[in-house]
Amino acid sequence: MTSAPKIGVLALQGDVREHIRALEESGATATPVRRQEELAAVDALVVPGGESTTMWKLAAIFELLEPLRLRIKEGMPAYGSCAGMIMLADRIEGGIEGQETLGGIDMVVRRNAFGRQVDSFEADLDFAGRGTIRAVFIRAPWVESVGPDVEVLGRTEAGDRIVAVRQGPLLATSFHPELTGDARVHSYFVEMVREL
């Protein structure tokens, strides 16, 4: 793909504008996605932060849950940040009764692993061998375990918690790169989309 990829941002909840801005800074054409026809028109998708249970319920109400799962299963590139990471996980811990995800990444993610809103923090970490980035964690999940096909792209400073992963065309971070003004994570995703 040589032209600017068209990347949607799931616009049910979360930092939609901030993701659109970071994607456009990274050379993509970005657009909000709320309907099936909008989903069908994009090359890739960002699932932003927010509240994963609310996002799941809204996706069901907007009749997007199955179309999203199908596009991901068919190989559409997707990037999930914070709640988006939970949505792309095959398995979650700490979810509410009956909570569903879109799936796609062979990992177990723990909801609100770093604590409540008051426990939010920022930290420096190495992302995908591209140098140090500032990561903003807000009621963030972490990855408990990954399958053999999942590449770990980032860990907390102490190295004890996985906070960024990739499996094929799917990328997920437990932090919010859209809030820092540093578009390197989004640039990495745009490069992934161009390569596929």
Side-chain angles (χ1 to χ4, degrees), residues 159-181:
D160 56 341
R161 296 295 178 199
I162 299 169
V163 294
V165 295
R166 176 181 179 178
Q167 183 173 359
L170 303 178
L171 174 69
T173 63
S174 59
F175 51 89
H176 291 267
E178 75 280 4
L179 298 180
T180 64

Side-chain angles (χ1 to χ4, degrees), residues 9-33:
V9 178
L10 189 61
L12 303 177
Q13 188 196 34
D15 298 330
V16 177
R17 282 191 312 266
E18 292 85 349
H19 277 292
I20 286 174
R21 186 178 61 242
L23 288 165
E24 289 179 342
E25 280 177 29
S26 302
T29 301
T31 184
V33 168

Side-chain angles (χ1 to χ4, degrees), residues 17-188:
R17 282 191 312 266
E18 292 85 349
H19 277 292
I20 286 174
R21 186 178 61 242
L23 288 165
E24 289 179 342
E25 280 177 29
S26 302
T29 301
T31 184
V33 168
R34 290 184 194 88
R35 296 177 186 84
Q36 290 184 39
E37 57 270 21
E38 293 167 341
L39 176 63
V42 297
D43 303 310
L45 186 72
V46 171
V47 184
E51 212 290 317
S52 61
T53 55
T54 303
M55 201 174 294
W56 153 57
K57 290 174 182 174
L58 287 172
I61 290 166
F62 280 80
E63 298 180 345
L64 277 170
L65 212 49
E66 289 312 316
L68 284 164
R69 286 178 176 148
L70 184 61
R71 285 290 312 269
I72 288 168
K73 193 173 185 178
E74 291 173 344
M76 176 187 67
Y79 163 47
S81 67
C82 197
M85 171 184 260
I86 296 166
M87 292 296 288
L88 291 179
D90 282 349
R91 295 168 303 285
I92 54 174
E93 289 189 8
I96 67 165
E97 179 89 23
Q99 183 173 352
E100 297 179 35
T101 68
L102 301 173
I105 301 179
D106 182 11
M107 63 179 174
V108 177
V109 171
R110 179 174 295 280
R111 279 181 77 239
N112 300 335
F114 286 105
R116 299 184 355 231
Q117 192 87 14
V118 294
D119 301 309
S120 301
F121 67 98
E122 295 183 25
D124 292 326
L125 58 91
D126 179 67
F127 174 76
R130 294 179 170 224
T132 302
I133 62 168
R134 192 75 176 158
V136 178
F137 294 88
I138 303 169
R139 288 180 61 214
W142 67 48
V143 179
E144 290 276 333
S145 62
V146 296
D149 297 327
V150 178
E151 180 184 2
V152 174
L153 300 179
R155 294 178 180 270
T156 52
E157 233 170 341
D160 56 341
R161 296 295 178 199
I162 299 169
V163 294
V165 295
R166 176 181 179 178
Q167 183 173 359
L170 303 178
L171 174 69
T173 63
S174 59
F175 51 89
H176 291 267
E178 75 280 4
L179 298 180
T180 64
D182 181 344
R184 281 181 289 170
V185 174
H186 290 82
S187 294
Y188 180 89

